[in-house]
């Protein structure tokens, strides 16, 4: 038997038999399907927080909490109903109907209900696309749109829920002070200011009391939830019962009108100027309100009569026609019955002190939308408790949409019924002053207004407690996700997980809303935050649907991206309709949180839609880039930086990355890459470590770009493959940046020299520019600031204008900003140097480049002895290298021949008892002279190459050598050094005595090239010895590969004596233009 799964939960599982032996080695990482299904069956959805269950970053094992699983009705439908129906229905809906009219109110209710219905459809799609732990909208948005959007919208939703708590508390206090105990006021001054101050005092006390209840235990809130919900339903049923009763009998409530103006009838009983008591005519209480002790009365009071009309004419009275249209007005406008006759007073009078009913605020359509919208929020209540549902993927869509349909029907029916039953002046009376200070909906209700008063009071209390319970948990969930660093402290709480710190912050923000002290001012604020949250729920669904990500498979099928887009547009429109300045503030807050998370927040990969959107956009852009060739105006250096890693896999030349950053004013692509010698199978871990080190080095230099490390059998092939294949589509590099191989002359083998030359050849063949930095470690870092100096360009040949562009790009960076650009060009005997200078100045002017121009005249001169000497040393050096290479090739050939032909004799010679069995001796006469085997040597070299399954440089990397009399298989380092010193000594003696004759045998081509390098170097040193950076045209390698040995010498002579040099070789295309 073989054990294949170790489970911490279920004990040890053994698999009997050998049916699955083929997979037994992978059982730890790839469990059997039966085991996986067993674990899924025991899966428990936790309700605390919103951390995914696959993400146990803190390493603390959570205890599974067994909760009673709820169905659709109890778990989703009723909580949504309780959250949606509330304070606005009881305190403001009648006023909205009276002010906006039935048609206007119908439009307001319809827009808001359609908005929430579309959002619920989008939410249902997201909620049924996998398991949604408790956390509701925040969880859904953050996992669909990423941590930035999730954090921003989560905080908006938190602020919305917190301000909702303020609104419900203000509603509670308004009911308490207006209808239940109007005498319990602290401040008694002028009407409006006193009311606001009373609201602040009582609101703060109520908030502290509720916070204490929440702190002591949420279980009490949950137990009372059903009581509060029963109050709401009883109040609504009482309202419908009252409407039906108006058909049979009109309620006994009258409104007193003076002319056509509505009066507050809580200050008087009789709606008349005089009354007869015991056959005596007396003035009523109303008279004393309009007249002084001298019987001088208000002019309007004298001119108009008092009439009494029914407050609720009834469903069949036809009052619906009068209430169809709205009646908006400024603050302080008198509430009047339009079709009632009245005589206007000529003089001015102070109406504000009279018992008229006024508009307390200016009314207009958009304000009413902002005040009404909170009454349709609360659709997230079901998804917030998804962890407690028996089948969340079925219950959330059905329960939420049914709740929205039900509440929409209640609101629309109430709009029509209020308009059809209640008199217009009563509807426009916000606080019910004209009906003896009763709520307007209360006088319609049956059997008593107290049903509405008590019902709405408990409803507001319950909703306030729910907000104070839910908001801290939402903040705790965001804090525990770790996406917003400064919120970390709010993730902590009591031992049982209660969010204490989050509750304190919630109470503080809630107090701000209470200090505003006006329900009508707080409602638009929370409308903004909820609308923004709903907007992003719709956006999340639309993005996921349009991207068609493989993981987007919602169980809820009745969604479409057009519906989500319509919902999103409606949310955005409603935000600006409600209050454009609040909308801008909410967007700025969300934007600041988004950018903060982007720059400072924890990096989270949640497979979000924005990531998918970025991938789609990148794919589209890459395809578009390839459709047309790049124009010169759009050319910018897309750099492939060839980096070397040291033995610790750290970047060998960090200043190469600094220089790359300084060059990136062109904002192009940057790919930093390196090659490790070996195969990916053996060096896979090193490759990953190298990539991490490259990324760390790039981050330290604040470089934006990509890093790539590859493993290859040798460096040459690795760099060759990178030059050919790095990049993707239209985003491929067009320039290669590398450091000058400083130790190529001292290296024991020639691989560094050959690698460099082959790189030059390959970049030229691929039509890519090449930048080679000499003394790269002397280049300035990103933190340095050069105080002055010059960047000198030596423009010898034109190869696309890259030499001109590079100093301009460097001067854009703060390191090089104070350096002046100088351009030197070389004139020969037959050139007009004055005209050349003028032409070059004009060319630079048209290129919009600021630079000092100088023409250097190089006269024809005899080749100096120094040049001959340098050439001689160079050729002798290459001759010595060839001889060493020859002995290596010869040795390899002899090994191969002996292996193939004389295997048996070797075995006899190297018997176990033979002390010299480790060394293979080859007689001198067996060595074939060099002149007789050029083809044979190459053939054997190829055979050896094939046998070792490595590329050509493997052979060259082995230490090699030969003595005149025998070839040793064991060629040690000491023998190589001795051989090299012996050959050098021989050459030194020969050179001292035979200098002049040797000059005659030198290659004239090499002499001419050395002459050019020496003369150019003299000119550059004369002009640019002290410059901060010298840019030189890089001559190409010789077409005949026999001259490769000398090429590096020429370049060394050219750069001799200069500190910072950048050799530039163009890619064969124009990169700079004079045209706009």
């Amino acid at each position: 038997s073989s054990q294949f799964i170790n489970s911490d939960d279920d004990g040890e599982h053994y698999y009997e038999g050998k049916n699955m032996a083929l997979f037994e080695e992978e059982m730890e990482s790839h469990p059997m399907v039966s085991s996986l299904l067993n674990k899924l069956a025991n899966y428990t959805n936790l309700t605390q927080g919103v951390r995914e269950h696959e993400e146990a970053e803190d390493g603390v094992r959570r205890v599974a909490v067994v909760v009673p699983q709820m169905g659709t009705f109890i778990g989703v439908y009723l909580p949504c109903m309780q959250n949606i129906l509330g304070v606005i229905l009881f305190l403001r809906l009648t006023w909205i109907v009276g002010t906006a009219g039935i048609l206007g109110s119908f439009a307001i209710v319809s827009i808001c209900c359609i908005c929430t219905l579309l959002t619920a459809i989008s939410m249902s799609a997201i909620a049924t696309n996998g398991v949604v732990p408790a956390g509701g909208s925040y969880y859904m948005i953050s996992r669909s749109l990423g941590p930035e959007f999730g954090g921003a919208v989560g905080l908006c939703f938190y602020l919305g829920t917190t301000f909702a708590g303020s609104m419900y508390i203000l509603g509670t206090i308004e009911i308490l002070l207006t209808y239940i105990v109007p005498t319990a006021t602290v401040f008694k001054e002028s009407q409006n200011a006193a009311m606001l101050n009373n609201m602040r005092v009582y609101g703060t006390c109520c908030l502290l009391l509720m916070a204490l209840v929440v702190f002591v235990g949420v279980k009490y809130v949950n137990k009372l939830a059903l009581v509060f919900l029963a109050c709401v339903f009883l109040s609504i049923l009482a309202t419908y019962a009252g409407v039906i009763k108006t058909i049979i009998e009109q309620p006994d409530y009258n409104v007193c009108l003076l002319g056509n103006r509505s009066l507050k009838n809580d200050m008087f009983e009789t709606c008349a100027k005089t009354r007869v008591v015991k056959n005596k005519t007396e003035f009523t209480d109303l008279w004393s309100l309009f007249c002084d002790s001298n019987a001088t009365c208000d002019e309007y009071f004298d001119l108009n009569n008092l009439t009494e009309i029914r407050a609720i004419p009834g469903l069949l009275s036809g009052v619906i026609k009068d209430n169809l249209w709205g009646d908006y007005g400024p603050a302080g406008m008198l509430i009047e019955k339009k079709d009632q006759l009245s005589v206007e007073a000529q003089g001015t009078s102070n109406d504000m002190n009279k018992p008229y009913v006024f508009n307390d605020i200016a009314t207009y359509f958009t304000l009413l939308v902002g005040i009404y919208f909170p009454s349709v929020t609360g659709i997230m209540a079901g998804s917030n408790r998804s962890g407690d549902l028996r089948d969340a993927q079925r219950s959330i869509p059905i329960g939420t949409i049914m709740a929205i349909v039900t509440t929409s029907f209640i609101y629309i029916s109430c709009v029509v019924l209020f308009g059809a039953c209640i008199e217009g002046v009563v509807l426009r009376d916000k606080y019910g002053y004209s009906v003896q200070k009763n709520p307007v909906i209360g006088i319609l209700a049956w059997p008593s207004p107290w049903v509405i008063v008590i019902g709405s009071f408990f409803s507001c209390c319950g909703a306030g407690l729910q907000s104070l319970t839910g908001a801290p948990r939402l903040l705790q969930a965001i804090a525990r996700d770790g996406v917003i660093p400064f919120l970390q402290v709010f993730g902590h709480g009591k031992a049982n997980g209660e969010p204490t710190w989050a509750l304190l912050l919630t109470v503080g923000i809630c107090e701000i809303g209470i200090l505003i002290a006006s329900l009508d001012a707080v409602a638009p604020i929370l409308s903004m935050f909820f609308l923004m949250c709903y907007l992003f729920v719709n956006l999340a669904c639309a993005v996921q649907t349009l991207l068609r990500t493989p993981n987007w498979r919602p169980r809820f099928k009745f969604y479409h991206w057009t519906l989500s887009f319509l919902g999103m547009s409606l949310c955005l429109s409603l935000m600006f309709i409600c209050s454009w300045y609040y909308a801008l503030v909410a967007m700025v807050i969300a934007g600041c949180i988004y950018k903060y998370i982007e720059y400072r927040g924890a990096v989270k990969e949640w497979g979000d839609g924005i990531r998918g959107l970025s991938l789609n956009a990148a794919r589209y852009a890459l395809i578009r880039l390839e459709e047309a060739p790049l124009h010169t105006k759009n050319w910018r250096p897309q750099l492939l930086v060839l980096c070397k890693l040291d033995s610790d896999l750290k970047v060998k030349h960090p200043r190469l990355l600094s220089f790359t950053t300084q060059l990136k004013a062109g904002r192009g692509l940057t790919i930093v890459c390196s090659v490790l010698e070996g195969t990916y199978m053996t060096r896979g871990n090193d490759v990953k470590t190298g990539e991490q080190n490259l990324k760390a080095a790039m981050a330290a230099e604040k470089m934006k770009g990509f890093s790539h490390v590859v493993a290859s059998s040798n460096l040459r092939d690795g760099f060759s493959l990178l030059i050919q294949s790095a990049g993707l589509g239209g985003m491929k590099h067009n320039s290669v940046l590398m450091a000058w191989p400083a130790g190529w002359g001292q290296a024991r083998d020639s691989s560094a020299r050959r690698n460099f030359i082959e790189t030059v050849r390959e970049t030229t063949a691929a039509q890519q520019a090449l930048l080679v930095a000499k003394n790269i470690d002397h280049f300035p870092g990103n933190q340095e600031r050069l105080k002055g100096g010059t960047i000198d360009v030596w423009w010898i040949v034109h190869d696309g204008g890259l030499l001109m562009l590079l100093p301009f790009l460097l001067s854009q960076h703060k390191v090089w900003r104070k350096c002046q650009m100088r351009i030197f060009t070389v004139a020969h005997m037959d050139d007009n140097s004055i005209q050349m200078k003028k032409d070059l100045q004009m060319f630079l002017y048209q290129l919009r480049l600021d630079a000092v121009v100088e023409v250097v005249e190089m006269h024809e001169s005899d080749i100096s002895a120094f040049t001959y000497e340098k050439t001689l040393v160079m050729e002798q050096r290459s001759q010595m290298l060839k001889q060493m290479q020859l002995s290596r090739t010869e040795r390899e050939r002899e090994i191969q021949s002996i292996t193939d032909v004389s295997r048996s004799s070797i075995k006899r010679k190297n018997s176990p008892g033979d002390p010299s069995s480790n060394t293979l001796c080859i007689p001198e006469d067996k060595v074939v002279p060099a002149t007789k085997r050029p083809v044979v040597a190459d053939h054997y070299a190829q055979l050896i190459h094939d046998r070792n399954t490595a590329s050509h440089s493997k052979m060259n990397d082995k230490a090699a050598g030969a003595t005149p009399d025998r070839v040793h298989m064991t060629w040690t380092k000491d023998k190589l050094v001795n051989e090299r010193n012996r050959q050098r000594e021989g050459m030194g003696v020969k050179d001292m005595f035979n200098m002049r004759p040797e000059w005659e045998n030198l290659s004239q081509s090499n002499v001419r090239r050395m002459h050019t390098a020496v003369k150019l170097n003299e000119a550059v040193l004369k002009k640019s010895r002290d410059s901060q950076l010298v840019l030189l045209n890089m001559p190409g390698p010789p077409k005949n590969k026999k001259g490769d040995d000398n090429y590096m010498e020429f370049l060394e002579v050219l750069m001799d004596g200069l500190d910072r040099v950048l050799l530039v070789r163009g890619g064969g295309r124009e990169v700079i233009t004079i045209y706009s």
Side-chain angles (χ1 to χ4, degrees), residues 979-994:
E979 176 67 18
R980 186 180 288 171
N981 290 340
R982 192 171 65 78
Q983 288 184 3
R984 277 181 181 169
E985 285 167 13
M987 282 182 182
V989 174
K990 188 178 177 184
D991 289 346
M992 279 193 291
F993 291 103
N994 302 309

Side-chain angles (χ1 to χ4, degrees), residues 230-249:
C231 291
V232 174
F233 278 118
L234 280 173
S235 303
I236 291 168
L237 288 174
T239 307
Y240 281 120
V243 170
I244 295 165
K245 186 174 176 291
T246 61
I247 302 171
I248 307 158
E249 179 191 356

Side-chain angles (χ1 to χ4, degrees), residues 205-261:
C205 296
C206 183
L207 173 64
L208 293 173
L209 191 65
M210 285 185 176
L212 188 64
V213 171
V214 171
F215 180 76
V216 167
V218 183
K219 57 184 177 181
Y220 302 114
V221 179
N222 292 334
K223 283 178 181 176
L224 291 169
L226 207 57
V227 177
F228 297 140
L229 186 59
C231 291
V232 174
F233 278 118
L234 280 173
S235 303
I236 291 168
L237 288 174
T239 307
Y240 281 120
V243 170
I244 295 165
K245 186 174 176 291
T246 61
I247 302 171
I248 307 158
E249 179 191 356
Q250 294 176 352
D252 190 23
Y253 285 97
N254 295 320
V255 182
C256 186
L257 299 177
L258 175 61
N260 64 355
R261 297 178 183 179

Side-chain angles (χ1 to χ4, degrees), residues 640 642 716 723 733-738 756-771 1065-1067:
L640 175 71
L642 303 182
R716 175 71 237 109
I723 289 168
H733 61 278
N734 54 30
S735 309
V736 176
L737 173 63
M738 61 189 295
F756 177 79
I757 296 169
E758 287 301 311
T759 303
V760 177
R761 283 204 172 96
E762 277 176 1
T763 51
T764 306
Q767 294 187 319
Q768 293 169 5
L770 178 63
L771 314 177
R1065 185 161 175 74

Side-chain angles (χ1 to χ4, degrees), residues 315-598:
L315 196 61
L316 305 176
S317 64
V319 75
I320 190 168
K321 287 185 287 187
D322 300 331
N323 293 331
L324 276 176
W325 305 103
D327 186 13
Y328 303 104
M333 186 185 84
L334 294 162
I335 292 175
E336 301 171 338
K337 185 172 169 60
K338 296 299 181 188
D339 56 356
Q340 188 85 5
L341 292 173
S342 71
V343 181
E344 292 299 323
Q346 296 300 314
T348 57
S349 62
N350 189 6
D351 293 333
M352 296 302 291
N353 297 326
K354 304 293 186 291
Y356 295 124
V357 182
F358 298 97
N359 269 357
D360 63 333
I361 57 171
T363 52
Y364 39 91
F365 180 80
T366 56
L367 172 82
L368 299 184
V369 175
I371 291 172
Y372 173 75
F373 188 81
S375 65
V376 294
T377 58
I379 61 172
M380 301 287 185
S383 63
N384 283 352
R385 54 179 69 203
S386 57
D388 304 333
L389 300 173
R390 193 180 301 118
D391 182 3
Q393 302 206 354
R394 182 176 171 276
S395 297
I396 289 174
I398 295 172
T400 306
I401 292 170
M402 287 307 297
I404 290 171
V405 170
T406 309
T407 52
S408 300
F409 171 76
I410 291 170
Y411 282 127
I412 288 171
S413 63
C414 282
V415 165
V416 176
L417 294 174
F418 291 164
C421 292
I422 305 172
E423 182 60 53
V425 287
V426 180
L427 284 172
R428 290 197 296 280
D429 181 5
K430 188 188 285 185
Y431 300 106
Y433 291 130
S434 61
V435 284
Q436 295 162 6
K437 255 193 175 176
N438 283 308
V440 175
I441 193 173
I443 62 169
L444 179 63
W446 179 86
S448 161
W450 284 99
V451 176
I452 296 293
V453 171
I454 301 301
S456 57
F457 180 78
F458 282 115
S459 162
C460 291
C461 282
L465 282 169
Q466 292 280 5
S467 296
L468 287 178
T469 308
R473 272 159 188 70
L474 182 60
L475 183 64
Q476 187 182 41
I478 298 167
R480 283 185 172 176
D481 249 350
V483 293
I484 306 175
F486 71 82
L487 290 182
Q488 295 282 356
V489 66
F490 299 110
H492 308 302
K494 290 196 288 187
N496 61 351
E498 289 295 308
T500 314
W501 291 107
L503 179 63
L504 286 173
L505 181 68
T506 304
V507 169
I509 296 171
C510 220
E511 179 63 21
I512 295 169
I514 285 165
L515 291 176
I516 294 171
S518 167
L519 189 74
D520 304 319
V522 172
I525 296 175
L526 67 107
S527 293
M528 286 307 122
F529 291 123
F530 277 120
L531 278 166
M532 183 161 283
C533 177
Y534 296 168
L535 184 149
F536 282 105
V537 169
N538 284 303
L539 176 65
C541 182
V543 165
Q544 296 279 34
T545 309
L546 286 171
L547 287 178
R548 296 191 184 93
T549 46
N551 191 51
W552 180 245
R553 304 184 299 275
R555 289 264 176 219
F556 179 76
K557 300 297 180 187
F558 305 101
Y559 69 93
H560 195 266
W561 70 267
T562 50
L563 293 177
S564 301
F565 193 77
L566 182 63
M568 187 177 72
S569 307
L570 205 52
C571 288
L572 190 62
S573 306
L574 281 172
M575 282 176 72
F576 283 93
I577 285 170
C578 294
S579 171
W580 63 268
Y581 46 89
Y582 279 157
L584 290 177
V585 169
M587 285 175 157
V588 166
I589 290 171
C592 290
I593 297 165
Y594 179 95
K595 296 309 286 183
Y596 176 79
I597 296 171
E598 191 176 47

Side-chain angles (χ1 to χ4, degrees), residues 177 184 239 281 319 370 424 504 509 519 728 766 844 1007 1013 1017 1046:
L177 294 181
T239 307
T281 304
V319 75
L504 286 173
I509 296 171
L519 189 74
L728 183 64
L844 289 176
V1007 171
N1017 178 253
N1046 308 328

Side-chain angles (χ1 to χ4, degrees), residues 256 264 741 825:
C256 186
K264 298 176 182 176
T825 190

